[in-house]
Each structure stands twice: as structure tokens, then as C-alpha cells.
């Protein structure tokens, strides 16, 4: 629709001064061999470029702008379908029990895809309500390229990194794109919406005939109906809330599993503490028994020492008494010898005299 509108405005068939203003670009179109190709060929050529490069080609001319807008809008829809396909494939391989999913090899794949789904819903809520009214296109082509990069990484890697590491770039550029769109572009679109015939279409007023009127009544009723827009907006909000609820449930299940693990660890620690207390009790009983035996041995040792002391005292007494009796006997013997010595000397004196005489 955007391409047809650009072709019609650039052909110079419009009344008044519009044809004169767009005559220069049409001449440029004729000089450019790429724009003279059929639209299918142009799509094939632009298909080799990234969406970031396609978004940069919008500055070339109005016809290229219309072609690039259509390709960017189609690219966002294609990446949504590709994400849905990847998510279905991963969910088909995951177990049904939530507790078993956390330990599965595809758990990180599922987390990354869930985060991408949340990011897609936010982008949809930010851009697509203006895209549906043909006020703009899906402007950030780099976001589409980054989503494709993440999805291909998830499909080609068996053990991907954690979700916050893989999605860091996507979160940054998508957040910046949405903030810039809300702060800079949305006010301009609202001014256009209030100052053009599009506001009349959104309010249900039939548009004034003119060169810019390209939509039929059926298209206005099907795409520009306020009730339909409100319904789609409510549906998108409900979808976003459902995604948030799903993420909250997933986090709650994670917390439950972590709580169960912590509780199991506490129970194991309590069991170990009981076992250690039992071992400590047994050791204390053994120590008490050893203390009792040590006390008995100490008492016996003291008794033996006392006995040894008694025996030593008794031995000393015996020795003292023995030495006293021996001394008395020795003195009596000496006295007897002294008494017997005069008699011996008297008997020995004649013999000694005879010996002396014989020697002379």
C-alpha cells in the first residue's frame, strides 16, 4: 500500500502543484536503474542487505522510502513468525514438569526465547499501532537484525550463555529505539494525526476528496475503525499482561525450586548436625569412662606410693634396730678379749724368754 501510494504520488498525475513538486524525483527514478526494475526484483536485491541498511536507504527518495517501509514492516512480522516457530520447537522438546525443565539442556534456550517474546510484545505495542494507521513504519531495522541474530544463535548453539548476556545488546538498542520513538517521533505523529484527514478517518468522519485520499471506504472501515484499534490495543495490552504473568509465574516457579533446594539443604544440615551431636555424645561418654579409669589408676598409684613409703619406713626401722644389736655384741666381744689378754701374755712369756736365750 505504501509503495502504491508512493508510485501514485511520484507519477505526476496528481492535480495542482503536487505533480510539479515531484517531477524532479521522478526524473531521478528514471536515471536510477534499480528503481526501474520490477518490485519483485527490487525486493530480491534488497533482501541481501540487513534491515539496518534498508532503514538507511529510506533517505534515498520517496519510492525507495516506500519500498523500505514495506520491507521493514514485513521484516518485523517475519521475525515474529520465526520466533514463534523457534519457541514451538523448543517447547516440544522440553518436559512437561516445571521442576524437570530447570535441569533440562534446553532450559536456557527457553529463557532466552521467553525474553525475546516479551521484547517483541513491547515493540509491537510501541510501533505497530502507528504502523497500522500508515503513519509510519517499523523504524529500527537494527532491532530486527539483532532479534534474528539472537534466534539464530539459540538454534545453532547447544549450550548458550545466560539470557542476560545474550540479550544485553537487544535490550539496549530496543529500549533506546522505543524511548526515542516515544519522545521524538510520537509527538510529530500526533500532530499529523490531529491536523490531517487521518484524524477524521479515525473518528469515523468521511475524508475530503483530494490528491492524498488513496484509501477506500472498505479499507478505512477494516483498518482505521476506532473500535477495531481500541480492540487491538486492548488485545495487545492483554497479551503483554499475559506475558508478564507468564514471566512472573516462571520466576515464582524458580523461587519455589530454589526454596525447595534450600529447604533440602537445611534438612541435610540438620541431619548432619544430629549425627555430629550423636558422635559428640559418644565421645563424651568415652571421655567420662576414661576419666573414671584414670581416677581409679590415680587412686591405686597413690595407694601403692603410700605402701612403698610404709615399707621404706619399716625397712629403715629394721635397719636401725639391727645396727643397735650388732654394736652391743661388738663391745662385749672386745671386753672379753681385754679380759683374756693378760692371761695370754702370762702364758706366752716363758716361751718368749727361751727363744731369746736360744738366739743369744
Amino acid at each position: 500500500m505504501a509503495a502504491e501510494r508512493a508510485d501514485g504520488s511520484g507519477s505526476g498525475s496528481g492535480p495542482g502543484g503536487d505533480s510539479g513538486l515531484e517531477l524532479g524525483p521522478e526524473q531521478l527514478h528514471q536515471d536510477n536503474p534499480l528503481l526501474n526494475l520490477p518490485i519483485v526484483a527490487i525486493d530480491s536485491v534488497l533482501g541481501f542487505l540487513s534491515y539496518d541498511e534498508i532503514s538507511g536507504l529510506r533517505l534515498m527518495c520517496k519510492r525507495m522510502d516506500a519500498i523500505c517501509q514495506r520491507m521493514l514492516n514485513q521484516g518485523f512480522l517475519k521475525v515474529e513468525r520465526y520466533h514463534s516457530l523457534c519457541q514451538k520447537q523448543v517447547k516440544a522438546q522440553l518436559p512437561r514438569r516445571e521442576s524437570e525443565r530447570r535441569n533440562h539442556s534446553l532450559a536456557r534456550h527457553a529463557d532466552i526465547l521467553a525474553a525475546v517474546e516479551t521484547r517483541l510484545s513491547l515493540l509491537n505495542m510501541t510501533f505497530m499501532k502507528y504502523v497500522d494507521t500508515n503513519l509510519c513504519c517499523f523504524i529500527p531495522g537494527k532491532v530486527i537484525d539483532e532479534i534474528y541474530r539472537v534466534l539464530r544463535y539459540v538454534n545453532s548453539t547447544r549450550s548458550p550463555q545466560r539470557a542476560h548476556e545474550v540479550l544485553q545488546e537487544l535490550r539496549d538498542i530496543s529500549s533506546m529505539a522505543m524511548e526515542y520513538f516515544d519522545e521524538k517521533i510520537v509527538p510529530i505523529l500526533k500532530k499529523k494525526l490531529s491536523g490531517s484527514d487521518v484524524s477524521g478517518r479515525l473518528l469515523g468522519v468521511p475524508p475530503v476528496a483530494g490528491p492524498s485520499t488513496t484509501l477506500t471506504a472498505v479499507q478505512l472501515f477494516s483498518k482505521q475503525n476506532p473500535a477495531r484499534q481500541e480492540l487491538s490495543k486492548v488485545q495487545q495490552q492483554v497479551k503483554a499482561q499475559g506475558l508478564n504473568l507468564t514471566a512472573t509465574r516462571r520466576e515464582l516457579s524458580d523461587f519455589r525450586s530454589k526454596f525447595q533446594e534450600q529447604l533440602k539443604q537445611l534438612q541435610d544440615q540438620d541431619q548432619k548436625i544430629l549425627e555430629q551431636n550423636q558422635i559428640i555424645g559418644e565421645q563424651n561418654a568415652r571421655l567420662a569412662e576414661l576419666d573414671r579409669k584414670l581416677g581409679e589408676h590415680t587412686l591405686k598409684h597413690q595407694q601403692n606410693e603410700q605402701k612403698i613409703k610404709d615399707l621404706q619406713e619399716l625397712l629403715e626401722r629394721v635397719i636401725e634396730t639391727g645396727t643397735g644389736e650388732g654394736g652391743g655384741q661388738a663391745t662385749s666381744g672386745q671386753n672379753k678379749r681385754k679380759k683374756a689378754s693378760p692371761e695370754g701374755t702370762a702364758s706366752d712369756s716363758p716361751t718368749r724368754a727361751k727363744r731369746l736365750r736360744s738366739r743369744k
Side-chain angles (χ1 to χ4, degrees):
M1 182 62 66
E4 292 176 358
R5 187 166 57 189
D7 292 339
S9 62
S11 61
S13 60
D18 292 338
S19 61
L21 292 175
E22 297 183 357
L23 182 60
E26 181 62 26
Q27 291 176 354
L28 293 176
H29 296 170
Q30 292 177 0
D31 295 336
N32 193 338
L34 177 62
L35 297 177
N36 292 328
L37 294 174
I39 190 65
V40 178
I42 295 175
D43 290 343
S44 299
V45 172
L46 295 180
F48 291 98
L49 302 178
S50 64
Y51 286 98
D52 188 20
E53 296 172 343
I54 292 173
S55 63
L57 291 176
R58 291 179 58 202
L59 301 174
M60 182 176 177
C61 62
K62 287 189 175 180
R63 187 165 186 239
M64 182 60 72
D65 181 25
I67 295 172
C68 293
Q69 286 186 17
R70 181 175 53 81
M71 291 193 70
L72 289 170
N73 295 335
Q74 291 178 356
F76 183 74
L77 298 176
K78 287 179 181 178
V79 78
E80 281 187 329
R81 290 195 294 267
Y82 184 53
H83 169 265
S84 300
L85 179 62
C86 296
Q87 198 168 26
K88 287 180 181 178
Q89 292 176 354
V90 172
K91 284 185 177 180
Q93 299 177 18
L94 287 174
R96 292 185 178 180
R97 292 187 177 182
E98 188 68 24
S99 60
E100 296 179 357
R101 290 183 180 181
R102 305 312 306 169
N103 299 324
H104 198 268
S105 60
L106 297 177
R108 289 188 177 181
H109 297 74
D111 293 339
I112 294 172
L113 292 175
V116 172
E117 183 180 5
T118 305
R119 190 58 52 174
L120 285 172
S121 66
L122 294 174
L123 292 170
N124 196 343
M125 291 173 61
T126 304
F127 290 96
M128 297 310 291
K129 59 182 178 181
Y130 297 100
V131 173
D132 292 337
T133 57
N134 290 328
L135 292 175
C136 68
C137 67
F138 188 83
I139 299 171
K142 190 174 181 180
V143 175
I144 301 176
D145 295 332
E146 184 64 21
I147 295 173
Y148 269 118
R149 185 194 70 80
V150 172
L151 295 178
R152 288 168 185 150
Y153 173 76
V154 171
N155 285 336
S156 61
T157 307
R158 293 185 178 179
S159 57
Q161 298 177 353
R162 294 182 179 179
H164 68 276
E165 297 176 357
V166 178
L167 300 173
Q168 184 65 39
E169 182 69 17
L170 177 59
R171 288 173 178 169
D172 292 341
I173 62 176
S174 61
S175 299
M176 290 189 293
M178 289 186 289
E179 290 176 0
Y180 183 82
F181 184 78
D182 291 333
E183 294 175 1
K184 303 294 183 181
I185 300 177
V186 170
I188 299 174
L189 296 178
K190 288 183 178 180
K191 289 181 181 179
K192 289 183 179 180
L193 186 65
S194 61
S196 63
D197 58 348
V198 179
S199 61
R201 294 169 189 167
L202 293 176
L203 296 174
V205 180
V208 181
S212 62
T213 306
T214 57
L215 298 177
T216 62
V218 178
Q219 291 172 341
L220 289 174
F221 181 78
S222 61
K223 293 184 178 180
Q224 307 278 342
N225 193 1
R228 183 179 180 84
Q229 287 184 356
E230 292 295 331
L231 180 61
S232 63
K233 185 177 180 180
V234 172
Q235 289 177 351
Q236 290 175 0
Q237 291 178 356
V238 171
K239 184 178 179 181
Q241 291 177 358
L243 294 174
N244 293 330
L245 181 61
T246 303
T248 304
R249 287 179 178 175
R250 188 179 294 108
E251 292 178 357
L252 181 61
S253 63
D254 294 339
F255 289 146
R256 285 179 179 175
S257 61
K258 290 179 181 179
F259 176 74
Q260 293 294 332
E261 291 177 359
Q262 294 291 333
L263 184 61
K264 186 177 180 181
Q265 291 179 359
L266 289 175
Q267 291 176 355
D268 294 338
Q269 293 294 331
D270 292 337
Q271 184 66 28
K272 289 181 180 179
I273 289 171
L274 291 175
E275 294 177 356
Q276 293 295 329
N277 290 332
Q278 185 177 0
I279 293 172
I280 290 170
E282 293 177 356
Q283 294 294 332
N284 290 331
R286 291 180 182 176
L287 288 174
E289 183 68 20
L290 291 175
D291 290 337
R292 186 181 63 79
K293 291 181 179 180
L294 181 61
E296 292 178 357
H297 287 297
T298 304
L299 183 60
K300 289 181 180 180
H301 181 67
Q302 292 176 355
Q303 292 176 356
N304 291 329
E305 286 182 350
Q306 187 65 33
K307 289 180 180 180
I308 291 170
K309 288 180 180 180
D310 295 340
L311 291 174
Q312 287 179 352
E313 292 178 356
L314 181 60
L315 182 60
E316 289 176 356
R317 290 175 184 175
V318 170
I319 292 172
E320 289 177 357
T321 54
T323 52
E325 293 177 357
Q329 291 178 0
T331 52
S332 62
Q334 289 178 359
N335 292 327
K336 287 180 180 180
R337 289 177 182 176
K338 288 180 181 180
K339 290 179 181 179
S341 59
E343 295 176 356
T345 54
S347 60
D348 292 335
S349 59
T351 57
R352 288 181 180 178
K354 289 179 180 181
R355 290 177 180 174
L356 290 172
R357 291 174 181 174
S358 65
R359 288 180 181 177
K360 290 179 179 182

